[in-house]
Amino acid sequence: MTIAGRAGLRRDPKEEVVRYLATILARVAGLALLLVPPARGAEGMATLPEELAVTESIVTQDEDELQTSLRAGHLRFPRERSTSVLAQLEYGVTDRLQAILAVPYGVRHPSDAGAVHGLEDVDLGFRYAVLDFRTRPLGLDLGLTVGLPTGSRRNDLGTGDVSLEPTFTLSRWLGPVNGQLSFSWRRSGIGGRAEAEDEFKYNVALLYPWRRWFLTFEGAGETEESETTYYAIPELVWKPGRYLELLLAVPVGLTDAAADYGVIAGITVEIERLTGRGRDVDRPPGPPPVLMP
């Protein structure tokens, strides 16, 4: 889910400082994930949340597994309220390749004008696990997303242009804590009349598993047209069952272009072996069940 700012806000020197520190933090976190030695026995801690509030989770779907997720977010700006809903489907083509469909819907309500709402840019994409997090302490995913021109630039509901977005996600166990770093570059206005624009997203997440819970902290940044929004996001993820996951997060804006605060809630449901051709990779190995007469 994207949590962005609003164009046209007055820039502040403090925002430049935060932007600089956020960039340094993202680089340091990336180096730490690559250089810090893996925790002993990290292979046994492969259970991670399917979805995070903003950072692209390292988790991909098993072969023939379908994941459905629904996330809703509400942000409070000084002169505007913004609500977004994201419905997403992820299907495991293989154990390491998944297809993605994301359908966002947004509502903007400026304090000096009437509310506008509508469909934002629909995304179609693929992700491939170059280094599978389920079998090694270091995980790496690469992906490519195509944005469809279903949004409205005039109403600030997406760009309304075709876009391409390469994505990169890195995960590493640091003792009992899992660190994840995601980066993407979105190029919009491809093949259209609008001038091409670049948007960069860089997110860092730290997760501490505790029983069926994950205590999580994210740093989420987005830069577009020299304007940067950055959020600190404490969140809680609960997995009450193997196929169900609940999420609650509270983003707090750190730059002038970001919202003052907000809330994000989500639910994720998985369906194993949708067509019967896959296998349940998540189930621990063991003897086959014995059917009683």
Side-chain angles (χ1 to χ4, degrees), residues 138-200:
L138 176 66
L140 173 63
D141 287 359
L142 299 178
L144 179 64
T145 299
V146 178
L148 304 181
T150 56
S152 171
R153 183 184 296 270
R154 182 183 62 181
N155 293 328
D156 203 8
L157 298 172
T159 64
D161 301 317
V162 176
S163 64
L164 288 177
E165 183 177 9
T167 62
F168 165 98
T169 304
L170 180 71
S171 170
R172 189 79 182 255
W173 285 99
L174 310 172
V177 176
N178 179 262
Q180 299 192 28
L181 172 69
S182 68
F183 176 82
S184 69
W185 165 45
R186 193 179 190 98
R187 180 78 167 179
S188 61
I190 297 176
R193 298 181 180 179
E195 183 179 353
E197 297 178 353
D198 293 318
E199 177 183 334
F200 301 93

